[in-house]
Amino acid sequence: MKLVFATNNLNKLKEVQALVPKHITLVSLADIGCTEDIPETAATIEGNAILKAEYIQERYGYDCFADDTGLEVSALNGEPGVYSARYAGLAKDAQANMQKLLTNLANKSDRTAQFKTVVALYINGAMQTFTGICKGTITTEQKGGKGFGYDPIFQPEGYSETFAQLELETKNQISHRGKAVSQLIDFLSATS
């Protein structure tokens, strides 16, 4: 089975490729000639995932799935949430995003947060969504060189390391994206 994964983020592609079984071949946006940035104009994480999946299906005609992820920080009323990638501006600069978040949390004692991923699957003319959540805390400084985005400052519950310190295999077992993709794989296995 071939499925388009509607992302230009090579780090996400690598993470998801490590999760899917061999009988599912992931096709990237570059593989189908999609070079444009797909608009993320919805007010929710789920809405953005659906927008991206519909965009590829309508313009390119492929069965596909897309994800959107947000980091929701309790003390900041759920910020950055749907704006996680653009928290410090349209440049989508991970370093600037982390710095802004750490600055906004400087005087806060509650550092609890959660990552939320929604995967939207458009297949056989129907849309399905799958949600994964990983709870944790925001550290006071960056730790680790693996991962991407907010990984160096997110410490998942039950771990003393940040996502950026964990091996990909461990991260995939506990992460928001890993949980959502696992539901996607279960759904595809049950329907194929």
Side-chain angles (χ1 to χ4, degrees):
M1 167 190 295
K2 281 191 176 181
L3 258 186
V4 174
F5 180 20
T7 186
N8 284 311
N9 185 323
L10 297 179
N11 290 304
K12 280 186 185 182
L13 190 60
K14 181 180 168 187
E15 279 189 8
V16 173
Q17 278 176 327
L19 289 166
V20 297
K22 299 287 182 245
H23 71 276
I24 299 174
T25 304
L26 287 190
V27 179
S28 71
L29 291 180
D31 294 334
I32 64 168
C34 177
T35 56
E36 63 266 27
D37 269 339
I38 301 171
E40 296 181 35
T41 54
T44 63
I45 292 166
E46 181 179 63
N48 277 337
I50 290 169
L51 273 179
K52 291 187 273 189
E54 286 177 340
Y55 184 95
I56 295 304
Q57 206 292 318
E58 288 168 6
R59 285 169 178 75
Y60 294 87
Y62 291 102
D63 284 341
C64 64
F65 69 96
D67 83 321
D68 197 40
T69 296
L71 176 62
E72 301 171 333
V73 181
S74 302
L76 301 178
N77 299 315
E79 281 186 15
V82 73
Y83 302 107
S84 292
R86 306 178 298 280
Y87 193 44
L90 294 177
K92 298 184 178 180
D93 182 325
Q95 199 61 43
N97 288 338
M98 283 189 286
Q99 197 52 57
K100 179 176 180 180
L101 183 60
L102 291 175
T103 299
N104 289 346
L105 279 176
N107 300 317
K108 309 277 189 198
S109 57
D110 178 6
R111 300 182 77 84
T112 59
Q114 68 177 24
F115 266 120
K116 177 181 180 181
T117 292
V118 176
V119 170
L121 170 69
Y122 195 103
I123 193 165
N124 302 326
M127 183 73 70
Q128 302 286 333
T129 59
F130 311 94
T131 302
I133 289 175
C134 182
K135 295 183 180 297
T137 55
I138 303 300
T139 58
T140 55
E141 60 185 13
Q142 296 182 38
K143 297 176 189 168
K146 300 180 182 102
F148 62 100
Y150 294 92
D151 286 358
I153 61 171
F154 183 83
Q155 183 177 313
E157 270 183 4
Y159 287 80
S160 56
E161 304 91 353
T162 67
F163 268 166
Q165 293 173 298
L166 296 174
E167 295 301 324
L168 179 59
E169 186 178 339
T170 304
K171 180 185 174 189
N172 273 344
Q173 289 173 357
I174 62 169
S175 79
H176 45 293
R177 187 169 296 106
K179 291 174 183 177
V181 171
S182 177
Q183 294 169 45
L184 166 74
I185 292 165
D186 288 347
F187 176 83
L188 291 171
S189 299
T191 56
S192 62

